[in-house]
Amino acid sequence: MGVDLLLLALLLSAQEPAVAYRGARVYPGDGPALDRAVLVVRGRVVEALGVDLPLPEGAKVVELDGKTVLPGLIDAASRGFLDPADRGPGAPEQDVADALDFFRGEALEARARGVTALYVMPDVGLGAVVRLGAKPEILRRAAALHLSLSRGGDVSTPSGRHDAYRQAAALFEGARSYKEAWGKYQKDKKDVEAKKAAGEKGLKDPVKPARDPGKEVLVRALDGELAVRVEAHAADSIGYALKLAEEFKLRLVLQGATEAVDRAEEIAASKAAVVVGPVLRYGPPTAETLRHTSGCAGALARAGVAPLAIGSFGRDAGASRFLLDAAGAAVAAGLPRERAIEALSGAAARALGLQAEIGALRKGRRADFVVLSGDPFDPRSRVERTYVDGVLVHGKEGGR
Amino acid sequence: MSLLLLALLATALSGVAGQEAPITLRGRLWTDPSKEPEDGGITLAGGKIRRVGPDGDAPTQALPKGAWITAGIIDAHSGLGSAWDAEEPTEALTPHVRAVEGFSSRHPDVLSALGSGVTLVALAPGDGNVVGGRVGLVHLNGERYDRALRAASAGLKASIAEPALRRDREPTSRSGALRLLRDFLRERPLDGPLLVRASTEGEIRAALGLGRPVVLVHAREAAKAIDALRAAKAVVAFGPLTPDDPLEILETPGKLARAGVPVALISDAPRTSEAQLRYAAILAVRAGMSPAHAWRALTTTPASIYGLPAGELKEGADADVVVWSDDPLSPASAVELVVVRGRVTYRRESK
């Protein structure tokens, strides 16, 4: 039965007509741009990308001479679909997916500017990835666990920052003991059962530890199942994030990192993924952002940090509309152009752990892409069309 | 930090302000924002633009190929380097306060603004007083206050908006604020522009009703009062503009410019900063403002508010000039070189 269904699905997809988008300059999202490339899409997925590709039989051809094609842009740090007022203290097990309000309209404006996926981040709790298809939908719940070393508490002083780090470390220490307690309980229980089975009498069952949903989430992070995202801007906050990850062997995704210039080598050595932003600083400087520079993305790229993503860090999905401009500001401050595009596509997908599905225009990935009238950073360029799963969700086929 | 070092180095190398040797910059000169830039040369001497033409007549500075040369950006309303220190909110009328006296030339935001393309900043008192005090002008030349100062008093700042209304002193209402402001203005002639912080449509219309030429600061709801703004020949100093703003706000500068209302885009630092004032224009262009209108909103309109011979590449204007790697309204364009009053104050390090 399962095999039959699979065959049927294969047959159906083979029957779906291929569409070849031809002639544009295509940024694949994980490498250098291809000029006059052919992008073949069949159904919901990319079938091929290359220069001088033979067109599949019966393929519909869409001519894109002079245009630029980018992978659907991914905002790796967004607050889209959240109520801006809804910023509670949060708990590790709190899932941001439960707070999403798809009736908020800003996301549609973001889609009209080429954004096809948002990573929605809580201050503390579990983040979610939303795709902006014909209707917004959750692509991945619990994509990462968020901790903050920059928000909440008093982080304006070195000792305040140390306290924030100690609190985070105490959480993981607690989770470690919890894991050990459960491990011991399960082992003891097994032993008792074995002895009972062997006929031993008068045995006491081991005491079952209390369940703690918050600690269970932290244990998943300790086990490497969940990536841990830590927002840190000031250089010493970044240091604490790296220290925390090293101590507890966490899969760290560093977020913010706007003062990373002096710590770029250390971050690269830690192998942490980084989501940089906001590239431009809005609002008065705080202790965390006093030395903010737009040059941090360039510095991280030169130090070899990968994956290196850029997020909008907006108040809502509205800021995602200007994601390309934020990446442009990073280019002006020293980030190579291709790396800037990757920071919004292939590298962003890797930072989210979704590189097998989205982020690059490669065989088997979802056909999320954007057609621009010209160069991505030219102020006269417009997003003409946005496709999600091969379906046009913004603009008109065959023109503006 | 390396930016600072470079800027200081440039200062040391080029000697005393006003005595620099003439220099010529060659590249794509953007003399008319409504047209494409044209290849040419511009010669700077004695702190002024001496010549604009197909070539120059002084030693040429090496510039990257394809570089754009423009006038420096002017920020018409800013709290740069003072972080709210230019305000005495316990009294409603503080005309004697000078915003420039809260300015610190070594504030981190001042240092990061040196390579932003902004060359002149109007420092304004905050919005918390009905009459806040004197607006002053400083050059962003990386020098200390006394050598950065252009004018300690170049205009007067007033506010009839929310922040000026308080529970613990008069005025507590908008009508009270207008009464105080009218009384104050009746006694004094003004020697510069009157800047009034007004945000809502009601505040804007009330400020226009003062019967004086005004520059409206902030002016979030200006699009709702375009008729009145035109009739009063008012100037709008719009901002700050951020990516979080709703579409109707982002569209406002473009709407004003198309309706013939002069509009300047301001940083309103520290709400945003000089370092990214150019991105406010880019946001406005993305929301439909023409690049020519957007560029004038950063240069000629703010210059005209203070009656400055600046903001354009023309003979006799101040030699405040910026060299860009590309179109300054492209987000990816970088500042290559900044010249303030004929002196190189910033040069981009190669990466």
Side-chain angles (χ1 to χ4, degrees):
Chain A
M1 180 66 189
V3 175
D4 287 351
L5 275 177
L6 189 67
L7 269 175
L8 189 66
L10 275 174
L11 279 170
L12 279 175
S13 74
Q15 278 166 2
E16 273 181 291
V19 185
Y21 298 87
R22 185 167 72 178
R25 180 176 171 83
V26 179
Y27 287 81
D30 60 359
L34 306 173
D35 278 317
R36 304 198 55 75
V38 182
L39 171 68
V40 181
V41 172
R42 194 183 292 275
R44 298 154 67 95
V45 297
V46 175
E47 189 169 87
L49 170 69
V51 182
D52 297 328
L53 280 185
L55 296 183
E57 212 169 303
K60 183 184 155 198
V61 177
V62 178
E63 301 290 354
L64 294 177
D65 284 359
K67 312 284 186 197
T68 301
V69 169
L70 306 180
L73 304 179
I74 301 169
D75 185 347
S78 150
R79 300 194 158 269
F81 305 110
L82 292 179
D83 188 327
D86 190 7
R87 300 190 74 162
E93 72 275 25
Q94 201 164 313
D95 191 338
V96 84
D98 296 329
L100 300 178
D101 175 2
F102 289 140
F103 291 99
R104 303 184 73 89
E106 314 91 0
L108 299 179
E109 290 176 29
R111 209 175 59 185
R113 301 205 184 237
V115 178
T116 58
L118 305 178
Y119 175 77
V120 187
M121 51 182 193
D123 282 357
V124 173
L126 298 164
V129 181
V130 176
R131 265 167 103 241
L132 306 178
K135 274 190 200 163
E137 58 177 20
I138 295 172
L139 176 64
R140 181 70 49 90
R141 272 178 177 259
L145 167 65
H146 281 253
L147 293 177
S148 178
L149 294 181
S150 282
R151 292 210 184 95
D154 178 15
V155 292
S156 60
T157 61
S159 63
R161 290 173 193 165
H162 183 256
D163 282 352
Y165 152 75
R166 277 305 316 154
Q167 280 172 22
L171 277 181
F172 282 110
E173 278 156 14
R176 211 178 240 172
S177 317
Y178 179 82
K179 187 183 170 185
E180 282 164 12
W182 271 93
K184 182 171 183 306
Y185 164 71
Q186 263 141 4
K187 186 177 167 294
D188 292 352
K189 197 173 153 215
K190 216 180 254 175
D191 289 351
V192 168
E193 276 162 9
K195 285 178 184 165
K196 275 184 182 168
E200 226 174 293
K201 301 262 181 231
L203 288 169
K204 261 200 190 160
D205 282 335
V207 182
K208 191 172 176 177
R211 281 273 173 209
D212 183 328
K215 292 203 171 100
E216 311 239 317
V217 168
L218 291 164
V219 167
R220 287 180 59 206
L222 285 174
D223 291 346
E225 281 173 40
L226 262 182
V228 177
R229 274 234 205 181
V230 180
E231 178 150 350
H233 293 272
D236 62 342
S237 296
I238 292 170
Y240 284 130
L242 297 179
K243 188 167 143 91
L244 193 70
E246 198 188 321
E247 258 175 49
F248 295 96
K249 306 277 171 277
L250 304 173
R251 256 170 60 208
L252 178 66
V253 180
L254 189 64
Q255 133 179 340
T258 47
E259 282 189 10
V261 173
D262 300 333
R263 287 202 180 254
E265 308 289 336
E266 265 173 85
I267 297 169
S270 79
K271 307 275 179 218
V274 180
V275 180
V276 167
V279 178
L280 299 173
R281 189 193 78 202
Y282 292 97
T286 65
E288 272 284 295
T289 59
L290 199 59
R291 292 176 57 236
H292 172 287
T293 86
S294 300
C296 56
L300 291 170
R302 283 192 297 279
V305 169
L308 177 65
I310 291 175
S312 73
F313 289 76
R315 202 170 51 202
D316 54 37
S320 306
R321 296 170 295 185
F322 304 107
L323 197 54
L324 257 180
D325 296 325
V331 171
L335 183 69
R337 296 167 67 92
E338 312 74 50
R339 292 296 300 272
I341 300 294
E342 287 171 38
L344 308 181
S345 52
R350 281 174 63 201
L352 301 179
L354 288 171
Q355 63 273 27
E357 284 188 67
I358 58 174
L361 298 174
R362 300 293 183 191
K363 187 174 164 58
R365 312 279 170 82
R366 296 195 182 214
D368 298 353
F369 60 101
V370 185
V371 179
L372 287 104
S373 59
D375 182 87
F377 300 117
D378 185 326
R380 286 167 293 269
S381 293
R382 294 278 174 266
V383 171
E384 293 183 350
R385 291 174 245 172
T386 306
Y387 295 83
V388 173
D389 277 344
V391 177
L392 189 73
V393 293
H394 161 75
K396 282 197 200 103
E397 197 84 59
R400 305 192 59 144
Chain B
M1 272 310 96
S2 48
L3 298 188
L4 166 63
L5 282 177
L6 276 171
L8 292 177
L9 190 66
T11 310
L13 288 176
S14 55
V16 184
Q19 295 176 8
E20 291 73 31
I23 52 169
T24 292
L25 303 171
R26 272 175 212 275
R28 310 186 69 194
L29 298 181
W30 207 19
T31 47
D32 180 352
S34 56
K35 293 185 191 147
E36 289 290 301
E38 281 176 29
D39 287 341
I42 182 167
T43 302
L44 314 174
K48 296 280 175 191
I49 297 175
R50 184 164 79 188
R51 182 186 159 108
V52 181
D55 47 25
D57 56 2
T60 304
Q61 290 269 323
L63 298 179
K65 238 181 133 80
W68 286 47
I69 301 174
T70 72
I73 294 170
I74 300 168
D75 188 353
H77 188 277
S78 172
L80 177 70
S82 67
W84 309 131
D85 272 352
E87 179 162 275
E88 283 296 333
T90 50
E91 292 172 61
L93 303 175
T94 57
H96 46 281
V97 165
R98 292 174 165 198
V100 290
E101 287 171 348
F103 179 73
S104 157
S105 57
R106 287 293 172 268
H107 190 286
D109 284 358
V110 176
L111 302 177
S112 68
L114 295 177
S116 65
V118 178
T119 52
L120 193 75
V121 177
L123 295 174
D127 307 317
N129 297 351
V130 172
V131 173
R134 301 284 157 184
V135 181
L137 301 171
V138 291
H139 295 285
L140 271 185
N141 56 4
E143 295 199 46
R144 286 184 189 287
Y145 169 72
D146 51 343
R147 287 173 63 175
L149 186 68
R150 167 78 169 240
S153 176
L156 188 73
K157 170 76 185 288
S159 171
I160 57 167
E162 195 76 28
L165 313 180
R166 293 166 63 109
R167 285 270 150 254
D168 56 353
R169 60 137 169 79
E170 273 194 278
T172 58
S173 67
R174 192 210 297 162
S175 51
L178 279 152
R179 177 184 67 80
L180 280 176
L181 186 53
R182 275 206 192 87
D183 284 352
F184 175 82
L185 293 173
R186 197 172 295 134
E187 290 166 23
R188 288 175 187 78
L190 292 178
D191 53 359
L194 174 63
L195 287 78
V196 182
R197 152 95 183 206
S199 301
T200 64
E201 181 188 356
E203 288 161 7
I204 291 166
R205 290 184 186 276
L208 295 174
L210 287 168
R212 295 229 183 194
V214 285
V215 178
L216 293 155
V217 178
H218 201 235
R220 294 280 280 185
E221 294 187 358
K224 295 179 182 167
I226 284 179
D227 53 336
L229 289 164
R230 281 170 64 165
K233 294 192 166 42
V235 180
V236 173
F238 193 82
L241 212 51
T242 79
D244 280 324
D245 285 321
L247 199 56
E248 67 259 32
I249 299 295
L250 293 164
E251 286 171 349
T252 295
K255 279 184 189 160
L256 294 173
R258 281 194 296 280
V261 176
V263 55
L265 288 165
I266 59 171
S267 74
D268 207 19
R271 290 193 179 90
T272 67
S273 67
E274 273 68 17
Q276 56 197 58
L277 180 55
R278 178 170 68 102
Y279 290 91
I282 289 169
L283 293 176
V285 169
R286 294 280 185 243
M289 193 178 203
S290 77
H293 283 154
W295 190 249
R296 289 194 185 107
L298 295 178
T299 54
T300 51
T301 308
S304 71
I305 289 175
Y306 298 102
L308 297 165
E312 301 180 76
L313 296 184
K314 65 174 185 194
E315 283 159 24
D318 287 354
D320 293 354
V321 176
V322 182
V323 180
W324 309 83
S325 63
D326 196 350
D327 183 345
L329 292 174
S330 159
S333 179
V335 173
E336 299 285 354
L337 190 80
V338 179
V339 181
V340 178
R341 294 170 101 187
R343 196 166 60 75
V344 175
T345 56
Y346 171 87
R347 193 188 287 275
R348 181 157 83 128
E349 58 187 313
S350 54
K351 292 212 164 90

Coordinates of all heavy atoms in Angstrom, one line a residue, chain A residues 117-151:
Chain A
A117 N 9.9 33.1 3.6 CA 9.9 32.4 4.9 C 10.4 33.3 6.0 O 11.3 34.1 5.8 CB 10.8 31.1 4.8
L118 N 9.8 33.2 7.2 CA 10.2 33.9 8.4 C 10.5 33.0 9.5 O 9.7 32.0 9.7 CB 9.0 34.8 8.9 CG 8.3 35.8 8.0 CD1 7.2 36.5 8.7 CD2 9.3 36.8 7.5
Y119 N 11.6 33.2 10.2 CA 11.8 32.5 11.4 C 11.2 33.4 12.5 O 11.8 34.6 12.7 CB 13.3 32.2 11.6 CG 13.5 31.6 13.0 CD1 13.2 30.3 13.2 CD2 14.0 32.4 14.0 CE1 13.4 29.7 14.5 CE2 14.2 31.8 15.3 CZ 13.9 30.5 15.5 OH 14.1 29.9 16.7
V120 N 10.2 33.0 13.2 CA 9.6 33.9 14.3 C 10.2 33.5 15.6 O 10.2 32.3 16.0 CB 8.1 33.7 14.3 CG1 7.5 34.7 15.3 CG2 7.5 33.8 12.9
M121 N 10.8 34.5 16.3 CA 11.5 34.3 17.5 C 10.9 34.8 18.7 O 10.4 36.0 18.7 CB 12.9 34.8 17.3 CG 12.9 36.3 16.9 SD 14.6 36.9 16.7 CE 14.3 38.7 16.6
P122 N 10.8 34.0 19.8 CA 10.4 34.6 21.0 C 11.6 35.1 21.7 O 12.7 34.9 21.3 CB 9.8 33.3 21.8 CG 10.7 32.2 21.2 CD 11.1 32.6 19.8
D123 N 11.4 35.8 22.9 CA 12.6 36.2 23.7 C 13.2 35.0 24.3 O 14.4 34.7 24.3 CB 12.2 37.2 24.7 CG 12.1 38.6 24.1 OD1 12.3 38.8 22.9 OD2 11.7 39.5 24.9
V124 N 12.3 34.2 25.0 CA 12.6 32.9 25.6 C 11.6 31.9 25.2 O 10.4 32.2 25.2 CB 12.7 33.0 27.1 CG1 12.9 31.6 27.7 CG2 13.8 34.0 27.5
G125 N 12.0 30.7 24.7 CA 11.0 29.7 24.3 C 11.4 29.1 23.0 O 12.6 29.2 22.6
L126 N 10.4 28.5 22.3 CA 10.7 27.8 21.1 C 10.3 28.6 19.9 O 9.2 29.1 19.8 CB 10.0 26.4 21.1 CG 10.4 25.5 22.2 CD1 9.3 24.4 22.4 CD2 11.8 24.9 21.9
G127 N 11.2 28.7 18.9 CA 10.9 29.5 17.7 C 10.3 28.6 16.6 O 10.4 27.4 16.6
A128 N 9.7 29.3 15.6 CA 9.0 28.6 14.6 C 9.3 29.2 13.2 O 9.5 30.4 13.1 CB 7.5 28.6 14.8
V129 N 9.3 28.3 12.2 CA 9.5 28.8 10.8 C 8.1 28.9 10.1 O 7.4 27.9 10.1 CB 10.5 27.9 10.0 CG1 10.7 28.5 8.6 CG2 11.8 27.8 10.8
V130 N 7.8 30.0 9.5 CA 6.5 30.2 8.8 C 6.9 30.4 7.3 O 7.7 31.2 7.0 CB 5.8 31.4 9.3 CG1 4.5 31.7 8.5 CG2 5.4 31.2 10.8
R131 N 6.2 29.8 6.4 CA 6.3 30.0 5.0 C 5.2 30.9 4.5 O 4.0 30.7 4.9 CB 6.4 28.7 4.2 CG 7.8 28.3 4.0 CD 7.9 26.9 3.5 NE 8.2 26.9 2.1 CZ 7.3 26.4 1.2 NH1 6.2 25.9 1.6 NH2 7.7 26.4 0.0
L132 N 5.5 31.8 3.6 CA 4.5 32.8 3.2 C 4.0 32.3 1.8 O 4.3 32.9 0.8 CB 5.1 34.2 3.1 CG 5.8 34.7 4.4 CD1 6.4 36.1 4.2 CD2 4.7 34.8 5.5
G133 N 3.3 31.2 1.8 CA 2.7 30.8 0.6 C 1.4 31.5 0.3 O 1.2 32.6 0.8
A134 N 0.5 30.9 -0.5 CA -0.7 31.5 -0.8 C -1.4 31.9 0.5 O -2.0 32.9 0.7 CB -1.6 30.6 -1.6
K135 N -1.3 31.0 1.5 CA -1.6 31.3 2.9 C -0.4 31.0 3.7 O 0.3 30.1 3.5 CB -2.7 30.3 3.3 CG -4.1 30.7 3.0 CD -5.0 29.8 3.8 CE -6.4 29.7 3.2 NZ -7.1 28.5 3.7
P136 N -0.2 31.9 4.8 CA 1.0 31.6 5.6 C 0.8 30.2 6.3 O -0.4 29.9 6.7 CB 1.0 32.7 6.6 CG 0.0 33.7 6.1 CD -0.9 33.0 5.2
E137 N 1.8 29.5 6.5 CA 1.7 28.2 7.2 C 3.0 27.9 7.9 O 4.0 28.3 7.5 CB 1.3 27.0 6.3 CG 2.4 26.9 5.2 CD 2.1 25.7 4.2 OE1 0.9 25.2 4.2 OE2 3.0 25.2 3.6
I138 N 2.8 27.1 9.0 CA 4.0 26.8 9.8 C 4.7 25.6 9.1 O 4.2 24.6 8.9 CB 3.6 26.4 11.3 CG1 2.9 27.6 12.0 CG2 4.8 25.9 12.0 CD1 2.3 27.3 13.3
L139 N 6.0 25.9 8.8 CA 6.8 24.9 8.2 C 7.5 24.0 9.3 O 7.6 22.8 9.1 CB 7.9 25.5 7.3 CG 8.9 24.6 6.6 CD1 8.2 23.7 5.6 CD2 10.0 25.4 5.9
R140 N 7.9 24.6 10.4 CA 8.6 23.9 11.4 C 8.3 24.5 12.8 O 8.5 25.7 13.0 CB 10.1 23.9 11.2 CG 11.0 23.1 12.1 CD 10.8 21.6 12.1 NE 10.9 21.1 10.7 CZ 12.0 20.7 10.1 NH1 13.2 20.8 10.8 NH2 12.0 20.2 8.9
R141 N 7.7 23.7 13.7 CA 7.6 24.1 15.0 C 8.9 23.8 15.8 O 9.6 23.0 15.4 CB 6.5 23.3 15.7 CG 5.1 23.9 15.6 CD 4.1 23.0 16.3 NE 2.8 23.6 16.2 CZ 2.2 24.3 17.2 NH1 2.8 24.4 18.4 NH2 1.0 24.8 17.0
A142 N 9.1 24.4 16.9 CA 10.2 24.1 17.8 C 11.5 24.0 17.0 O 12.2 23.0 17.0 CB 9.9 22.9 18.6
A143 N 11.8 25.0 16.2 CA 13.0 24.9 15.3 C 14.3 25.2 16.1 O 15.4 24.8 15.8 CB 12.9 25.9 14.2
A144 N 14.1 25.9 17.2 CA 15.3 26.2 18.1 C 14.7 26.7 19.5 O 13.6 27.2 19.6 CB 16.2 27.3 17.5
L145 N 15.6 26.6 20.5 CA 15.3 27.1 21.8 C 16.0 28.4 22.0 O 17.2 28.5 21.8 CB 15.8 26.1 22.9 CG 15.8 26.6 24.3 CD1 14.4 26.9 24.8 CD2 16.5 25.6 25.2
H146 N 15.2 29.4 22.4 CA 15.8 30.8 22.6 C 16.1 31.0 24.1 O 15.3 30.8 24.9 CB 14.8 31.8 22.2 CG 14.8 32.0 20.7 ND1 15.3 33.1 20.1 CD2 14.3 31.2 19.7 CE1 15.2 32.9 18.8 NE2 14.6 31.8 18.6
L147 N 17.3 31.6 24.3 CA 17.6 32.1 25.6 C 18.1 33.6 25.3 O 18.6 33.8 24.2 CB 18.8 31.4 26.2 CG 18.4 29.9 26.6 CD1 19.7 29.3 27.1 CD2 17.3 29.9 27.7
S148 N 18.0 34.4 26.2 CA 18.4 35.8 26.0 C 19.5 36.2 27.1 O 19.2 36.0 28.3 CB 17.3 36.8 26.1 OG 17.8 38.1 25.9
L149 N 20.6 36.6 26.6 CA 21.6 37.2 27.5 C 21.6 38.7 27.3 O 22.4 39.4 28.0 CB 23.0 36.7 27.2 CG 23.2 35.2 27.4 CD1 24.7 34.8 27.1 CD2 22.9 34.8 28.8
S150 N 20.7 39.2 26.5 CA 20.7 40.7 26.2 C 19.4 41.3 26.7 O 19.4 42.5 26.9 CB 20.8 40.9 24.7 OG 22.1 40.7 24.3
R151 N 18.4 40.6 26.8 CA 17.1 41.2 27.2 C 16.7 40.8 28.6 O 17.2 39.7 29.0 CB 16.0 40.8 26.2 CG 16.2 41.4 24.8 CD 14.8 41.6 24.2 NE 15.0 42.1 22.8 CZ 15.0 41.3 21.8 NH1 14.8 40.0 21.9 NH2 15.1 41.8 20.6

